[in-house]
Amino acid sequence: MSKLQLPRTLFPLSALALATSLMASPALAETLSIGVQGELASFDTSQVSGGVWESQVLMDVYEGLIKQSPDGELLPGMATKWEVSDDGKTYTFHMREGAKWSDGEPVTAEDFVFGWQHLLAPENASKYAYMLYPIVNAEAINTGDKAADTLGAESLDDGKTLKVTLNHPTPYFLQLLTHYTAYPTPKHLVDEYGKDWVKLDHIATNGAFKPVDWISQSKISVEKSPTYYDADDVSLDGVNYFTVEDRNAGISRFRAGELDVLSDYPSSRYQWLTENLPDATHMSPMLGSYYYVLNQRDGHPTNDKRVREALNLAVRRNVLSEQIMAGSFKASTAMVPPGTSHYEAQHMDLGSDDMNARMAKAKKLLQEAGYGPDHPLNLSLRYNTSDEHKKIAIAVAAMWKPLGVNVQMVNSEATVHYQTIQQGDFDVARAGWIADYNDAENFLTLLHTGVGNNYGAYSNPEYDKLMDQAAQTQDLDAREKLLEKAENVALDDYAFIPMLTYVTRNLVNPKLEGWEDNVEDDHPSRWVHFTE
């Protein structure tokens, strides 16, 4: 962990000195400016669309039972300590005394129970609700089969203790609690304002910062929360999150000093950046997969396994990695990226490395599926607005062209893109997944029947059975084998098009401390400060 800036010691001041100090204080304010890729869907965590940029904002204004250090270490958050039962199924959290919402109301265990029930409520249609499924009755509540008050989470001792009961031991449960799906919700505000609790003139948050301004498609501003229990050790006065979908424009803004951090700069600029901004240019390993979703709903050509296999065979992943993306991604033939804890990387069977042989097989498969010169395969390919995504889409469309595939490309800003593909309005769609926690299950759940982020509606009973078995297996080696077997079922179904694995790419003001590279690319502003 980087050394944190300590609060300045205050000394008695004369009236003149005090006035001078107050007049000068705005100039001393430290506000961090971050260029993010998209816009936050809502400060209500049940309505979040799943973008990495949303996580950045939410981790700054909320805090879960557990928080993370700059390098990803788990630390006490709203809970100061906890115990786990011998069977690994019961967690008892002791709430932090004096923890408050930004409106001064206490944060209690009841806010967590209510927040989780709120996220699981069927009417909220949270596509991230499955993250809480390890908790007893969470899935049944989410599907409307059981009442909210049956959730295996209890507020005890007048809100000072939270007892959580799981369906089965869950190795990643503590890591999961750092994710925004496990944040609390201010019950007192929901009771008073209903859905309007999230409006800026009503909202209260429990993190190091609180939201104060939101200009749609432009900027969200937050300021340091004086009620945060560690406010004295938070150096920043505020954070601005600027929506910067044009990443090249983002580089210009960074160079002009308008941004202190730019997340995910274009891979094509990496070499130039290392030569011109060497101290600011960061690249490091990351647990993330870049893939294309194949819609398997009725009426879509990608519902045919032969079509899915043909499309996979024609993709030249090394060309995408080395030529299109200039080596800033790694080629991939699986969903779970290399380096994932307690997991051996798997690979889709694409047969020969000889592209001529692969293309010949792909053409044969499409002919068998009924496609040819008189009946060409027409596909819609959706991607969220980005020069990088556009380059990849154009390249992939060109790889499919010799098969007689006609591609209509449709792009939209990130929030709209993910909302659209969740509704199933596509044949092929760009998607990416960055680990919420370092476990293969976090990636493989994306292909489980009924999961909100299973955009292609892939469904295989054998896959689901293996995933469900893995979820109930305490032995880590046996669990790993089940997860690997499940991934191979999906790979054999050509359920999606794996293409690339991510690396983190950030521009960071060299004067910042407390901002550290990590495999999940999480950077809570609570730890960040400017050096003199």
Side-chain angles (χ1 to χ4, degrees):
M1 186 188 305
S2 294
K3 182 179 179 182
L4 298 176
Q5 185 179 38
L6 297 176
R8 294 181 175 89
T9 303
L10 298 179
F11 296 96
L13 296 172
S14 67
L16 178 60
L18 178 59
T20 303
S21 173
L22 291 174
M23 291 173 61
S25 61
L28 299 175
E30 291 186 344
T31 300
L32 183 68
S33 295
I34 304 176
V36 295
Q37 296 167 263
E39 178 157 80
L40 178 70
S42 174
F43 280 108
D44 180 343
T45 55
S46 74
Q47 301 303 304
V48 172
S49 64
V52 174
W53 56 91
E54 294 180 301
S55 179
Q56 174 65 63
V57 179
L58 294 172
M59 74 173 65
D60 285 348
V61 300
Y62 292 111
E63 184 168 290
L65 295 165
I66 295 172
K67 64 175 181 282
Q68 289 180 297
S69 70
D71 60 2
E73 177 188 355
L74 298 182
L75 300 172
M78 289 291 108
T80 54
K81 60 181 180 178
W82 51 88
E83 297 92 38
V84 185
S85 62
D86 291 340
D87 64 3
K89 294 168 63 175
T90 302
Y91 287 70
T92 304
F93 297 92
H94 302 278
M95 303 300 294
R96 183 180 294 276
E97 291 186 16
K100 296 179 180 179
W101 293 97
S102 54
D103 62 1
E105 289 296 311
V107 179
T108 69
E110 181 62 26
D111 291 317
F112 281 90
V113 175
F114 177 77
W116 298 353
Q117 291 173 340
H118 176 75
L119 186 121
L120 290 166
E123 61 270 22
N124 286 327
S126 170
K127 67 178 183 178
Y128 263 93
Y130 69 88
M131 294 277 282
L132 297 181
Y133 281 8
I135 303 174
V136 166
N137 290 334
E139 184 173 7
I141 293 168
N142 189 229
T143 56
D145 294 330
K146 289 197 174 182
D149 59 8
T150 65
L151 183 67
E154 299 177 76
S155 173
L156 307 173
D157 305 325
D158 294 324
K160 296 178 181 178
T161 305
L162 176 65
K163 180 181 177 182
V164 183
T165 307
L166 307 184
N167 295 303
H168 45 73
T170 305
Y172 54 85
F173 187 64
L174 290 178
Q175 289 183 319
L176 184 153
L177 294 178
T178 67
H179 191 259
Y180 52 77
T181 48
Y183 291 162
T185 298
K187 184 177 185 300
H188 64 287
L189 292 182
V190 179
D191 288 344
E192 183 174 357
Y193 298 110
K195 290 184 178 181
D196 287 343
W197 77 270
V198 79
K199 292 185 176 180
L200 291 188
D201 54 350
H202 299 320
I203 194 171
T205 59
N206 72 318
F209 302 90
K210 61 179 182 179
V212 293
D213 192 28
W214 188 343
I215 303 173
S216 181
Q217 295 300 326
S218 177
K219 181 182 71 169
I220 291 176
S221 297
V222 303
E223 66 182 26
K224 180 178 174 179
S225 175
T227 64
Y228 182 60
Y229 63 89
D230 255 358
D232 288 346
D233 285 334
V234 176
S235 295
L236 296 175
D237 296 288
V239 185
N240 292 321
Y241 313 90
F242 293 94
T243 302
V244 186
E245 293 197 350
D246 184 336
R247 315 312 285 161
N248 284 304
I251 292 175
S252 297
R253 293 178 68 175
F254 181 87
R255 295 184 71 200
E258 297 176 23
L259 301 175
D260 299 300
V261 177
L262 176 69
S263 61
D264 200 34
Y265 57 77
S267 58
S268 60
R269 302 294 301 276
Y270 175 65
Q271 190 61 44
W272 185 92
L273 289 169
T274 56
E275 294 170 357
N276 292 274
L277 297 171
D279 294 336
T281 304
H282 291 235
M283 180 183 283
S284 66
M286 185 181 194
L287 295 180
S289 291
Y290 187 115
Y291 61 102
Y292 274 3
V293 181
L294 298 173
N295 196 337
Q296 288 157 70
R297 297 171 178 84
D298 291 340
H300 292 269
T302 43
N303 188 33
D304 190 321
K305 179 180 176 180
R306 295 167 297 187
V307 172
R308 299 197 300 269
E309 182 178 359
L311 295 177
N312 264 290
L313 287 169
V315 175
R316 301 173 183 241
R317 293 160 175 83
N318 286 332
V319 170
L320 296 178
S321 169
E322 297 168 13
Q323 297 181 29
I324 307 300
M325 293 293 102
S328 60
F329 282 81
K330 302 299 180 185
S332 172
T333 54
M335 176 63 79
V336 183
T340 301
S341 178
H342 217 101
Y343 196 82
E344 183 177 341
Q346 305 300 300
H347 302 283
M348 179 179 283
D349 182 8
L350 296 172
S352 171
D353 289 334
D354 181 350
M355 283 306 300
N356 289 329
R358 280 169 51 174
M359 293 299 284
K361 183 178 180 181
K363 288 180 180 178
K364 182 178 179 182
L365 286 166
L366 290 183
Q367 289 172 356
E368 292 174 358
Y371 298 99
D374 297 330
H375 184 211
L377 174 58
N378 300 314
L379 297 174
S380 65
L381 168 56
R382 287 188 173 272
Y383 64 92
N384 50 303
T385 304
S386 158
D387 288 342
E388 199 166 80
H389 302 330
K390 182 178 181 180
K391 286 180 181 178
I392 291 175
I394 291 172
V396 172
M399 294 172 188
W400 289 340
K401 190 67 176 176
L403 300 178
V405 179
N406 299 320
V407 177
Q408 178 188 12
M409 287 184 279
V410 183
N411 75 289
S412 55
E413 62 91 11
T415 302
V416 173
H417 169 75
Y418 280 105
Q419 290 173 343
T420 301
I421 66 174
Q422 187 179 23
Q423 294 165 1
D425 185 14
F426 70 98
D427 295 317
V428 183
R430 179 266 160 187
W433 190 261
I434 309 302
D436 297 308
Y437 44 87
N438 190 351
D439 193 276
E441 183 272 347
N442 189 225
F443 290 91
L444 298 179
T445 295
L446 299 173
L447 298 170
H448 196 292
T449 301
V451 165
N453 291 316
N454 183 353
Y455 303 116
Y458 172 69
S459 182
N460 183 313
E462 182 184 1
Y463 183 90
D464 295 345
K465 181 179 179 181
L466 288 165
M467 290 296 295
D468 294 343
Q469 288 177 341
Q472 301 178 46
T473 302
Q474 294 191 51
D475 182 273
L476 293 181
D477 291 337
R479 177 176 180 269
E480 177 186 346
K481 296 303 180 186
L482 288 167
L483 291 173
E484 290 171 358
K485 188 173 181 180
E487 182 171 16
N488 278 293
V489 169
L491 294 174
D492 290 345
D493 278 343
Y494 301 95
F496 61 104
I497 303 178
M499 295 193 293
L500 302 163
T501 56
Y502 281 94
V503 295
T504 68
R505 300 194 305 268
N506 296 287
L507 291 180
V508 183
N509 185 337
K511 293 184 178 181
L512 290 183
E513 287 189 358
W515 193 105
E516 295 188 16
D517 293 314
N518 59 76
V519 294
E520 293 179 38
D521 206 20
D522 285 339
H523 308 282
S525 301
R526 176 253 182 280
W527 304 111
V528 175
H529 70 273
F530 290 87
T531 58
E532 296 296 334

